[in-house]
Amino acid sequence: MHHAVNACLAPLYSVEGMHVITVEGIGNRKHGLHPIQESLANAHGSQCGFCTPGFVMSMYALLRSLKKPPTKEDIEENLAGNLCRCTGYRPIIDAFRVFARTDDALYTHGSSGLSSGEFVCPSTGKPCSCGLNLKGDKECTKTSTNEGDILKPISYSDFDGAAYTEKELIFPPELLLRKSANLCLNGLNGLKWYRPLSLQHVFDIRARYPDAKLVVGNSEVGIETRLKSFHYPVLVHVAHVPELNKLIIKDEGLEIGAAVKLSQLAKVLKMVIDQRTPFQTSSCRSILEQLKWFAGTQIKNVASVGGNICTASPISDLNPLWMAVGARFHISDCRGNTRTCGAENFFLGYRKVDLASNEILISVFLPWNSPYEFVKEFKQAHRRDDDIAIVNAGMRACLEKKDQKWMVSDASIVYGGVAAYSISACETKKFMIGNHWNKELLHGALKILEKDIVVKDDAPGGMIEFRKSLILSFFFKFFLWVSHQMDGLPLFDETVPISHLSAIKPFHHPSIMGSQDYEIVKRGTAVGAPEVHLSARLQVTGEAEYTDDVPMPPNSLHAALILSKKPHARILSIDDIAAKSSPGFTGIYYAKDVPGDNMIGPVVADEELFASEVVTCVGQVIGVVVADTHENAKQAARKVHIQYEELPAVLSIEDAVASGSFHPQTERSLRKGDVDLCFLSGQCDKIIEGEVHVGGQEHFYLEPHSTLTWTIDGGNEVHMSSSTQAPQKHQKYVAHVLGLPMSKVVCKTKRIGGGFGGKETRSAFLAAAAAVPSYLLNCPVKITLDRDIDMMITGQRHSFLGKYKVGFTNEGKILALDLEIFNNGGNSLDLSLPVLERAMFHSDNVYEIPNVKIKGKVCFTNFPSNTAFRGFGGPQGMLIAENWIQRISMELKRSPEEIREINFQKEGSVLHYGQQIEHSTLERLWNELKASCKFLDAREKVEQFNAQNRWKKRGIAIIPTKFGISFTAKFMNQAGALVQVYTDGTVLVTHGGVEMGQGLHTKVAQVAASSFNIPLSSVFISETSTDKVPNASPTAASASSDIYGAAVLDACEQIKAHMEPIASKHNFGSFAELALACYMERIDLSAHGFYKTPDIGFDWETGKGNPFKYFTCGAAFAEVEIDTLVGDFHTRQADVILDLGFSLNPAIDIGQIEGAFVQGLGWAALEELKWGDASHKWVPPGCLYTCGPGAYKIPSINDTPFKFSVSLLKDAPNPKAIHSSKAVGEPPFFLASCVFFAIKDAIIAARAEEGLTDWFPLDNPATPERIRMACFDEFTKPFIHSAFLPNLSV
């Protein structure tokens, strides 16, 4: 069997005797790619590439473990445990769908009965022509592409003329011949690792080491040791003990060994369900369904039944079910004594179970069900897939006929996530037994449940009202479900109304389908072609190098940071004696040790590299420790003890506004017309006022911050390899803190594993921190942050508070906007002011407003400094605007789309900062989208669905955007490049931009290839380096393709001018011949190109100017469905259209749109930051609760819209950028707010059922908690009022 596992959680000792296959092992660039790798690369499924090996290996394991090709559903379920931040998942799904089973004849050497040359669509398994849509390669060729282009089915014999199954790695014969043996291995810090092969051996070890920890999959212990600093001296790996791995089907039920993996259990449950009478397997079906949402495949492949039980997590998904179904746990001790404990009595307290120190859990017995015994599982989490539960439950009811009625003979109602352990609703159970199954039972049980299961007001995790409502909602769903199962039986008259069936209809996730529509306008050999990312083949094989992959020189050291634990405090003393005696310790450095200046900052030097006297946030750097290993450095840093005198902390925007806590000189204002006069004149029929709270967002780049720094020439120069969007900032910071000239500091970046703005400025202080010990010790030092530290200290997207006052007519025409906005800057200014400024520029979105007054301020708070993130304040400004647009529509009882349309800006409109709209395509985009998504028809269908379904509602929305392209700081709009032509006709390009997955190097190489009229393969871009192109602006603001493409084009044109005299004299057969001839004539074949964006500039004194070169516009439509009882939602459809001019590379641009949309969907509806503030008192003040993937949830593959269509506007050249193209990186991000407003549209329908038709606020992200609590009904009334707003860290 082949199993995909998480490498980070699989101890090396645990795979002894196994064949370990990595991504490099199945294919590589030199010897050929595996078909999985090839398909993923060709389908544009790898952008930054950091997540790519995980996807490849998950798919590889699936294909190798099945006897026949998987279904599309198998593939998507198998990939649910993999995360990607770049692609939006659609191209990955398309790449792997070609391996799915449709027509079995495709995967054999037999005939399918199809005529020769007929194409079979992998989506339907039927003949179609979508795969024959070939792209032209002539200049200005126009065509469309959809999923058919890249979904040509891959048979087992499509690569290299031989079936790839015949070339696969076999299980090594020497391992087959080798007999397993007991193991006792030693590790660091006195760790002992045992691998017993018999139960008696397990008991012998436990007798010697009573506190030894039993391990199977390491999915819990691995987290504890890696992230929580737990230390277990003795680990006993019991995965190979036969007595613990039995799965026996008995007449009375199923016996499940404690070490049985969850994936094994799922397979056996499926088999049992197929083989046995349906009524016997109600428990099996509920457990199987819960396992589907339990975790990703990689976790279920190693996690065990017993491990999950004995961990006794209060949010275990399975323990409530074991309790509800009456499972019995078989327990044994080292003397051979055995006993049985009912699951309901096994859990004693928080992570405490009924096991003595000499006992272990042997197996679980799951009894078959009797007729009319019904078992159902429930779970609600932040994210549907691979997420821990907020509340879960297992419920069982046995019904029997008595006195011509159906009565409850037995019941069990168990909840998790509401107390320190899974608990039974005992009083509810007593009430149910003996009562008739009818509405009186339902209402009575609900009343008792309110008191039976109590969630304390200070319960960890918060969301108290939401959790209370879920307790009732789950039981209501259970009642309806049982009633529906009984429907049609004699004497049963508790029929479920048709409109209520939506509450219990099982969720079916259809296979994700995407379509892409664009034209190809080729310029020369490469520009305009949908070329594959130049690094794709390296990334799919795992050969692509990132900073942490760079080989470390001998005697290198690792750095770890000493961090503040208080949000605002004076440092009284630092005790580092224990750290200095820690294993592997080499040095420790503070502010006093900085050779140069300790004050740093990208705009204003207002933060210390190492805090000297006062700390102003949790996670502020106080010093740095270096040691021989990463783990030793972290351990030494943890041993530094600091005494503080705590000072008052500002922990929200509202606190900052109330106390006047703002960064100095950050007040900004913009004006147009006379707002005050308009409000007083009576022109406005209505005036509304309100507030919008906009949540922040974690970047969650897959590659954490990393820098390797070393000195050369005896310490005279400093070089570094860094994961950064701004190598020049690294160069500048390091030179500054070391007291060196910038000419002696070099920063190089090959590629980065995602950035999204988070590596623009906040990576530089980390490089500077590592440079201090590297310089002082004259040796290489690497710093790589762990995920939790990275999230805690490097800042996020700014949260915002917007206070608006809007005047408008009864027709919906907006006349005046008075807006005050604040952003949460954190404890240093960083880029918060330009982020605020861009938010102010975009506060009109696309709407014509005659009178505008906008004021903004940057709040100083005691959180880590917030920073750039895709959109750079623009999405926050536009979201505030769309909130009041939506409110106007409710005030006037008109659709939001109508309000938007009558207020659209036109060609020639003058914006509130003085810039004039030119070449507007907004209305064309809007109309094309409304037509393609059949908006009116969609609205009619949604209303029809909502009328027929009480507990599920659908909503739709269509949202426009206008995003300004340029850095708003004029001086940053410049770019340099170095182009070198070699005598073999190949070209080396170096420019100041960084490749972070967005395809910048690919587009720039296309520009160079077309300029020289050579193939793209003849152009190479190695890395970004400050000693090749100086003073480069960060790769940000979506402008990099524009400015670096133009700089490279300038250099190419210079070289062509040098070559022209030679070229005009001879008719050369190739570019290589021309290059050699020029060399022989001593012609300079290199050139430095330069570009500065013309016709831009803005004066904040006057509040007027042209901050942007042009605008990228677009629009998006979404349809969602929400479950009003629990707050779950899914996006049924998303259609996106953007005007990108003549795209430099439409395939890469489509990938950017899809990735930005799904990332924006996370911001709008999934990703919530929770800080220790007044709203979250269960979190320590100033601390980030959501500092890892366990608590912070980005979209997974199943959050992708079911139907995901992306179109590029045709015949819309942009005269203001290179080759008539437009920027793409940030503009699509905000379009995902259409999902947010579609959710709100669905909530409006739900509230209407309760007679609530007035406007209501909804903060983003629209998490299940916010959705559920906004859908006010009988199950939330006991706990909240109709205007209740869940807490949000802003």
Side-chain angles (χ1 to χ4, degrees):
M1 288 297 295
H2 291 73
H3 294 295
V5 301
N6 290 102
C8 60
L9 290 178
L12 194 58
Y13 292 165
S14 71
V15 295
E16 194 279 335
M18 300 180 185
H19 185 203
V20 179
I21 304 173
T22 66
V23 68
E24 296 89 349
I26 68 170
N28 58 67
R29 189 174 50 85
K30 290 182 180 177
H31 300 104
L33 271 60
H34 190 280
I36 294 172
Q37 297 168 323
E38 188 85 39
S39 182
L40 190 60
N42 290 339
H44 310 282
S46 180
Q47 288 187 20
C48 86
F50 207 79
C51 69
T52 301
F55 277 96
V56 169
M57 294 313 295
S58 291
M59 187 65 197
Y60 178 82
L62 177 66
L63 291 183
R64 291 299 305 272
S65 63
L66 298 177
K67 293 181 180 179
K68 57 183 179 181
T71 64
K72 291 178 284 189
E73 290 73 19
D74 290 336
I75 292 171
E76 291 178 26
E77 185 176 342
N78 190 66
L79 298 177
N82 294 79
L83 294 177
C84 174
R85 196 55 154 165
C86 295
T87 64
Y89 298 104
R90 192 278 312 163
I92 299 173
I93 298 167
D94 278 359
F96 292 159
R97 190 179 287 140
V98 297
F99 298 98
R101 179 169 72 250
T102 50
D103 181 352
D104 285 338
L106 285 172
Y107 303 95
T108 66
H109 293 290
S111 169
S112 65
L114 297 172
S115 61
S116 177
E118 211 163 12
F119 177 83
V120 175
C121 179
S123 307
T124 63
K126 298 177 182 178
C128 76
S129 59
C130 65
L132 305 178
N133 184 10
L134 304 177
K135 303 179 181 69
D137 59 0
K138 296 179 182 178
E139 189 154 347
C140 293
T141 297
K142 297 175 185 177
T143 186
S144 297
T145 180
N146 58 26
E147 62 273 308
D149 282 321
I150 55 173
L151 284 186
K152 180 185 175 186
I154 295 178
S155 73
Y156 284 4
S157 57
D158 269 0
F159 285 85
D160 300 332
Y164 78 76
T165 48
E166 295 169 9
K167 302 190 300 178
E168 294 293 5
L169 296 163
I170 63 168
F171 192 78
E174 56 269 34
L175 289 180
L176 280 173
L177 298 173
R178 186 168 176 233
K179 291 185 178 180
S180 294
N182 295 324
L183 286 182
C184 176
L185 302 168
N186 297 311
L188 292 173
N189 302 318
L191 171 69
K192 288 186 179 297
W193 174 278
Y194 287 93
R195 186 185 71 184
L197 297 181
S198 70
L199 186 59
Q200 187 56 50
H201 192 194
V202 176
F203 285 128
D204 292 344
I205 297 169
R206 286 297 291 269
R208 288 177 59 194
Y209 305 104
D211 295 328
K213 189 78 171 176
L214 303 189
V215 179
V216 178
N218 200 48
S219 56
E220 181 72 20
V221 172
I223 296 293
E224 291 176 336
T225 54
R226 284 174 59 89
L227 301 180
K228 300 179 182 178
S229 303
F230 284 25
H231 177 61
Y232 296 110
V234 181
L235 294 173
V236 185
H237 189 226
V238 297
H240 300 278
V241 176
E243 297 94 328
L244 301 179
N245 279 284
K246 55 190 177 185
L247 263 168
I248 304 172
I249 301 172
K250 298 182 176 180
D251 291 339
E252 305 84 20
L254 180 64
E255 186 170 1
I256 307 159
V260 167
K261 311 294 192 301
L262 297 180
S263 56
Q264 291 175 274
L265 175 61
K267 288 181 181 178
V268 170
L269 290 175
K270 288 177 183 176
M271 181 182 72
V272 165
I273 290 167
D274 287 341
Q275 293 176 351
R276 302 193 76 86
T277 309
F279 75 78
Q280 291 184 304
T281 58
S282 185
S283 297
C284 295
R285 288 193 297 274
S286 65
I287 293 171
L288 182 63
E289 184 64 20
Q290 197 74 310
L291 282 173
K292 182 179 180 181
W293 310 111
F294 180 93
T297 303
Q298 300 89 336
I299 295 295
K300 288 186 284 192
N301 281 340
V302 296
S304 67
V305 172
N308 182 257
I309 291 170
C310 293
T311 297
S313 168
I315 49 174
S316 164
D317 289 337
L318 294 181
N319 289 344
L321 277 169
W322 297 129
M323 294 169 66
V325 302
R328 299 191 294 275
F329 297 160
H330 298 305
I331 298 165
S332 181
D333 65 16
C334 55
R335 299 187 190 90
N337 299 317
T338 60
R339 66 184 176 94
T340 299
C341 178
E344 201 164 9
N345 303 315
F346 186 70
F347 304 101
L348 307 178
Y350 180 69
R351 296 189 181 269
K352 290 182 181 179
V353 295
D354 184 16
L355 277 181
S357 61
N358 65 339
E359 289 182 320
I360 67 171
L361 176 65
I362 303 297
S363 64
V364 176
F365 183 75
L366 176 66
W368 305 129
N369 302 110
S370 57
Y372 312 117
E373 181 180 14
F374 303 98
V375 180
K376 190 64 178 167
E377 80 297 332
F378 299 94
K379 174 180 179 178
Q380 186 56 48
H382 288 286
R383 184 179 67 199
R384 190 177 301 107
D385 282 308
D386 195 17
D387 191 7
I388 57 177
I390 298 169
V391 176
N392 52 29
M395 301 187 186
R396 178 178 62 89
C398 295
L399 273 62
E400 64 178 10
K401 273 191 287 189
K402 195 172 184 181
D403 300 329
Q404 302 296 304
K405 295 279 187 179
W406 285 94
M407 301 185 69
V408 179
S409 61
D410 194 15
S412 186
I413 310 296
V414 186
Y415 289 95
V418 296
Y421 57 98
S422 302
I423 57 172
S424 294
C426 299
E427 296 302 317
T428 308
K429 172 181 176 177
K430 288 178 187 175
F431 169 78
M432 292 173 66
I433 295 175
N435 266 319
H436 296 147
W437 189 267
N438 54 27
K439 286 189 176 64
E440 286 71 28
L441 178 141
L442 169 65
H443 296 310
L446 288 173
K447 285 184 179 178
I448 294 171
L449 261 179
E450 284 184 43
K451 298 175 182 177
D452 201 5
I453 304 294
V454 178
V455 185
K456 296 180 180 179
D457 290 342
D458 60 348
M463 300 182 286
I464 307 304
E465 298 84 1
F466 180 41
R467 288 151 80 180
K468 288 179 178 179
S469 73
L470 289 175
I471 292 168
L472 303 187
S473 293
F474 284 170
F475 186 83
F476 177 64
K477 280 174 171 271
F478 180 63
F479 178 83
L480 293 181
W481 180 76
V482 172
S483 299
H484 188 57
Q485 299 296 308
M486 294 288 293
D487 194 23
L489 291 175
L491 303 176
F492 189 85
D493 53 7
E494 196 58 52
T495 305
V496 180
I498 293 175
S499 64
H500 282 41
L501 288 177
S502 58
I504 54 174
K505 184 179 179 182
F507 170 73
H508 171 68
H509 191 298
S511 185
I512 295 165
M513 290 302 299
S515 67
Q516 306 82 47
D517 182 35
Y518 55 82
E519 67 178 348
I520 295 176
V521 182
K522 290 197 69 174
R523 305 285 181 92
T525 56
V527 168
E531 299 284 354
V532 168
H533 195 292
L534 290 182
S535 295
R537 294 174 72 82
L538 286 171
Q539 291 167 188
V540 297
T541 59
E543 296 170 286
E545 280 192 359
Y546 301 85
T547 299
D548 199 38
D549 298 321
V550 176
M552 294 181 67
N555 304 316
S556 296
L557 298 173
H558 293 262
L561 302 173
I562 302 164
L563 303 173
S564 163
K565 295 181 180 179
K566 302 294 180 183
H568 190 200
R570 193 177 309 281
I571 299 172
L572 298 180
S573 65
I574 299 176
D575 179 2
D576 56 15
I577 294 174
K580 290 177 178 176
S581 60
S582 191
F585 171 86
T586 302
I588 189 166
Y589 302 90
Y590 303 103
K592 62 183 176 58
D593 302 306
V594 175
D597 194 341
N598 191 46
M599 296 301 297
I600 55 174
V603 180
V604 176
D606 65 343
E607 59 181 310
E608 293 182 293
L609 176 63
F610 300 134
S612 55
E613 297 178 358
V614 174
V615 294
T616 52
C617 74
V618 173
Q620 185 171 357
V621 180
I622 296 171
V624 62
V625 174
V626 285
D628 59 346
T629 69
H630 181 62
E631 291 301 320
N632 281 342
K634 291 195 298 180
Q635 187 177 359
R638 284 195 289 265
K639 292 179 179 178
V640 177
H641 296 288
I642 301 171
Q643 282 192 320
Y644 303 94
E645 175 193 342
E646 293 196 51
L647 301 171
V650 177
L651 298 176
S652 70
I653 292 178
E654 290 182 339
D655 284 353
V657 173
S659 61
S661 179
F662 301 106
H663 283 277
Q665 299 176 349
T666 60
E667 186 170 346
R668 292 287 185 266
S669 65
L670 294 171
R671 292 175 183 270
K672 174 187 175 185
D674 192 328
V675 169
D676 296 330
L677 180 62
C678 183
F679 285 140
L680 293 172
S681 66
Q683 298 176 56
C684 304
D685 296 316
K686 291 180 181 289
I687 297 174
I688 56 173
E689 296 185 59
E691 290 186 357
V692 180
H693 300 88
V694 182
Q697 184 182 24
E698 164 60 33
H699 301 87
F700 215 97
Y701 28 71
L702 271 290
E703 177 201 24
H705 284 284
S706 184
T707 291
L708 172 62
T709 306
W710 66 96
T711 58
I712 62 172
D713 201 18
N716 188 46
E717 301 172 44
V718 176
H719 285 222
M720 72 192 101
S721 174
S722 296
S723 177
T724 177
Q725 295 173 238
Q728 187 263 356
K729 277 193 169 56
H730 278 222
Q731 177 194 26
K732 185 176 180 180
Y733 271 46
V734 169
H736 183 70
V737 302
L738 298 183
L740 294 175
M742 290 176 67
S743 56
K744 289 188 175 183
V745 179
V746 176
C747 180
K748 298 185 177 185
T749 301
K750 171 70 79 173
R751 63 175 61 82
I752 67 175
F756 315 114
K759 296 177 181 175
E760 183 176 344
T761 58
R762 302 314 293 167
S763 58
F765 81 90
L766 299 168
V772 170
S774 178
Y775 182 70
L776 294 176
L777 295 172
N778 201 22
C779 73
V781 172
K782 178 192 278 189
I783 184 167
T784 299
L785 298 186
D786 287 347
R787 175 66 60 190
D788 57 336
I789 299 298
D790 191 307
M791 294 179 71
M792 183 174 77
I793 73 172
T794 60
Q796 287 94 15
R797 180 187 298 280
H798 292 75
S799 56
F800 269 71
L801 169 63
K803 299 183 177 184
Y804 63 82
K805 182 178 180 182
V806 182
F808 52 94
T809 68
N810 288 329
E811 291 72 38
K813 189 69 178 171
I814 303 162
L815 298 180
L817 167 66
D818 188 351
L819 177 66
E820 203 174 4
I821 60 174
F822 306 91
N823 68 349
N824 190 333
N827 72 330
S828 73
L829 185 59
D830 193 70
L831 300 177
S832 297
L833 182 56
V835 166
L836 178 78
E837 291 170 352
R838 186 176 276 270
M840 294 171 69
F841 287 139
H842 287 73
S843 288
D844 61 343
N845 196 7
V846 297
Y847 306 115
E848 184 80 61
I849 311 172
N851 303 284
V852 178
K853 181 170 67 177
I854 303 174
K855 289 184 177 180
K857 285 185 179 179
V858 178
C859 296
F860 179 99
T861 59
N862 294 113
F863 292 120
S865 188
N866 286 315
T867 191
F869 197 147
R870 194 179 210 158
F872 204 77
Q876 293 97 315
M878 291 185 279
L879 188 67
I880 293 169
E882 292 298 339
N883 265 279
W884 50 255
I885 284 283
Q886 196 268 341
R887 184 173 178 182
I888 291 172
S889 74
M890 291 194 74
E891 293 284 342
L892 297 176
K893 304 291 189 285
R894 300 178 69 174
S895 74
E897 292 71 35
E898 288 181 81
I899 305 301
R900 292 183 178 108
E901 288 172 2
I902 64 176
N903 288 288
F904 277 161
Q905 292 160 352
K906 313 285 186 184
E907 181 73 18
S909 291
V910 177
L911 305 178
H912 57 286
Y913 44 90
Q915 184 157 352
Q916 190 172 20
I917 296 289
E918 298 178 283
H919 312 292
S920 175
T921 55
L922 176 62
E923 291 199 38
R924 188 177 154 205
L925 287 161
W926 183 264
N927 292 332
E928 285 193 21
L929 179 62
K930 284 186 74 175
S932 65
C933 71
K934 300 178 181 176
F935 184 77
L936 295 179
D937 185 46
R939 170 58 69 192
E940 186 178 328
K941 288 180 179 177
V942 162
E943 289 176 354
Q944 185 178 358
F945 177 89
N946 291 341
Q948 296 171 354
N949 294 276
R950 172 64 182 92
W951 300 111
K952 285 196 177 148
K953 299 295 181 184
R954 290 178 183 170
I956 59 173
I958 182 167
I959 296 289
T961 191
K962 172 186 98 261
F963 194 88
I965 305 300
S966 287
F967 289 97
T968 51
K970 182 179 178 179
F971 73 91
M972 296 179 72
N973 293 283
Q974 57 176 300
L978 178 63
V979 176
Q980 296 156 248
V981 175
Y982 294 94
T983 56
D984 65 351
T986 60
V987 176
L988 176 64
V989 174
T990 308
H991 60 89
V994 171
E995 177 56 58
M996 49 190 175
Q998 83 282 42
L1000 175 61
H1001 282 356
T1002 305
K1003 287 183 175 181
V1004 167
Q1006 287 177 273
V1007 169
S1010 282
S1011 179
F1012 288 126
N1013 199 32
I1014 57 177
L1016 181 60
S1017 59
S1018 294
V1019 181
F1020 180 62
I1021 301 177
S1022 176
E1023 63 185 3
T1024 307
S1025 180
T1026 58
D1027 62 353
K1028 302 295 189 300
V1029 177
N1031 311 318
S1033 293
T1035 304
S1038 304
S1040 298
S1041 294
D1042 285 5
I1043 61 176
Y1044 290 115
V1048 167
L1049 184 59
D1050 176 45
C1052 293
E1053 294 300 321
Q1054 292 178 47
I1055 295 173
K1056 285 164 65 179
H1058 298 165
M1059 301 172 99
E1060 202 279 329
I1062 305 299
S1064 63
K1065 293 178 183 177
H1066 304 282
N1067 187 19
F1068 293 98
S1070 67
F1071 186 70
E1073 292 179 14
L1074 172 59
L1076 181 60
C1078 289
Y1079 168 74
M1080 298 302 293
E1081 293 295 328
R1082 298 185 295 178
I1083 301 295
D1084 184 5
L1085 294 179
S1086 69
H1088 169 256
F1090 184 76
Y1091 176 79
K1092 59 180 181 180
T1093 308
D1095 307 322
I1096 57 171
F1098 187 80
D1099 183 357
W1100 278 101
E1101 291 293 323
T1102 63
K1104 301 299 177 187
N1106 292 332
F1108 306 117
K1109 180 63 176 172
Y1110 62 89
F1111 298 94
T1112 295
C1113 293
F1117 163 85
E1119 179 183 334
V1120 305
E1121 182 175 305
I1122 66 171
D1123 184 330
T1124 67
L1125 288 168
V1126 295
D1128 205 10
F1129 88 95
H1130 52 261
T1131 308
R1132 292 169 46 80
Q1133 181 178 343
D1135 291 22
V1136 184
I1137 183 168
L1138 253 80
D1139 170 16
L1140 296 183
F1142 289 163
S1143 171
L1144 296 176
N1145 184 321
I1148 282 177
D1149 286 350
I1150 291 285
Q1152 285 291 287
I1153 294 169
E1154 292 173 330
F1157 187 91
V1158 172
Q1159 191 178 64
L1161 187 153
W1163 172 65
L1166 280 174
E1167 302 174 38
E1168 182 172 7
L1169 294 166
K1170 294 185 179 181
W1171 291 92
D1173 53 25
S1175 297
H1176 304 91
K1177 292 184 177 179
W1178 44 274
V1179 183
C1183 290
L1184 179 64
Y1185 173 73
T1186 49
C1187 61
Y1192 187 83
K1193 298 299 173 181
I1194 69 171
S1196 73
I1197 204 163
N1198 285 328
D1199 295 303
T1200 305
F1202 300 162
K1203 291 176 64 179
F1204 197 3
S1205 303
V1206 178
S1207 303
L1208 303 185
L1209 191 67
K1210 298 180 178 67
D1211 297 314
N1214 173 32
K1216 297 196 173 189
I1218 184 168
H1219 291 308
S1220 302
S1221 64
K1222 277 192 173 184
V1224 67
E1226 294 169 292
F1229 178 90
F1230 177 68
L1231 291 177
S1233 67
C1234 65
V1235 174
F1236 175 83
F1237 288 103
I1239 288 171
K1240 191 165 188 181
D1241 187 51
I1243 295 172
I1244 289 170
R1247 290 171 68 91
E1249 296 274 5
E1250 295 288 325
L1252 299 171
T1253 57
D1254 290 340
W1255 175 85
F1256 61 96
L1258 180 68
D1259 297 331
N1260 81 298
T1263 56
E1265 178 191 15
R1266 289 190 177 81
I1267 295 172
R1268 174 65 190 104
M1269 303 319 284
C1271 295
F1272 189 73
D1273 57 34
E1274 61 200 274
F1275 307 110
T1276 61
K1277 278 178 185 176
F1279 317 115
I1280 64 168
H1281 53 79
S1282 62
F1284 174 80
L1285 272 178
N1287 293 325
L1288 178 67
S1289 289
V1290 172

